[in-house]
Amino acid sequence: MSEIILIFALLTTESSYKADVERPMAAVGDTIQFSFGAQGTWRVRTFAMDHDIHVYSIGTQNDNHSFSASEAEEHINKHYGDVLRKIYVIRFKSPASDAENARVLQENGLSGKLEVTPAGFAFYNPDRVKYKTQSTPK
């Protein structure tokens, strides 16, 4: 079992990357997330309107300059500060049961679901709907 640190921000917007639309959140907002684990560091961006997800590998723990948790929070504040609702820092074990992951979320006042992908990155799924890559970043 390994520990994953997930730093993520809930945003006050809901958007669609492929339709180039952003508006104030009605029910579920967009997220920006950083996953730190044994499989490396990942940046995850979700777009709530069409459940689109963009995932970027930032590197491994063995890189000369690995991206740190404090850099993740700085990045979120710098680039999303105007639409930032709240930042969360969650630590959990992987693999873990759905019940254990739900407990971790509940302790932080969150519903939704923690998902760990076969590639090794984790992300917070705020509405338990399937997210998949639907657009290519420009």
Side-chain angles (χ1 to χ4, degrees):
M1 224 184 244
S2 63
E3 182 179 64
I4 294 178
I5 300 170
L6 183 61
I7 298 172
F8 65 95
L10 300 180
L11 306 178
T12 61
T13 56
E14 61 181 24
S15 62
S16 167
Y17 188 89
K18 73 180 171 184
D20 195 24
V21 173
E22 180 180 89
R23 63 185 179 217
M25 175 187 76
V28 175
D30 299 334
T31 70
I32 177 70
Q33 309 185 36
F34 291 89
S35 173
F36 298 86
Q39 301 286 342
T41 303
W42 303 80
R43 177 186 180 272
V44 178
R45 177 73 164 86
T46 65
F47 302 89
M49 288 176 69
D50 48 16
H51 298 96
D52 192 2
I53 186 170
H54 294 174
V55 180
Y56 308 90
S57 173
I58 297 176
T60 67
Q61 294 175 340
N62 298 327
D63 291 341
N64 287 334
H65 176 71
S66 60
F67 196 74
S68 71
S70 63
E71 288 174 307
E73 288 191 61
E74 288 172 20
H75 176 88
I76 291 169
N77 281 307
K78 178 179 179 182
H79 296 283
Y80 298 92
D82 58 333
V83 292
L84 179 61
R85 191 166 82 197
K86 186 169 181 181
I87 296 177
Y88 294 86
V89 178
I90 294 180
R91 296 172 183 270
F92 62 100
K93 301 288 184 194
S94 179
S97 68
D98 286 343
E100 177 61 20
N101 287 342
R103 183 192 61 76
V104 170
L105 290 176
Q106 186 176 25
E107 286 175 354
N108 288 278
L110 295 162
S111 56
K113 184 177 181 182
L114 289 173
E115 296 194 26
V116 180
T117 69
F121 69 87
F123 77 100
Y124 173 64
N125 180 334
D127 55 356
R128 298 176 169 264
V129 176
K130 182 169 177 60
Y131 280 78
K132 66 180 184 175
T133 302
Q134 299 181 46
S135 61
T136 303
K138 297 173 188 163

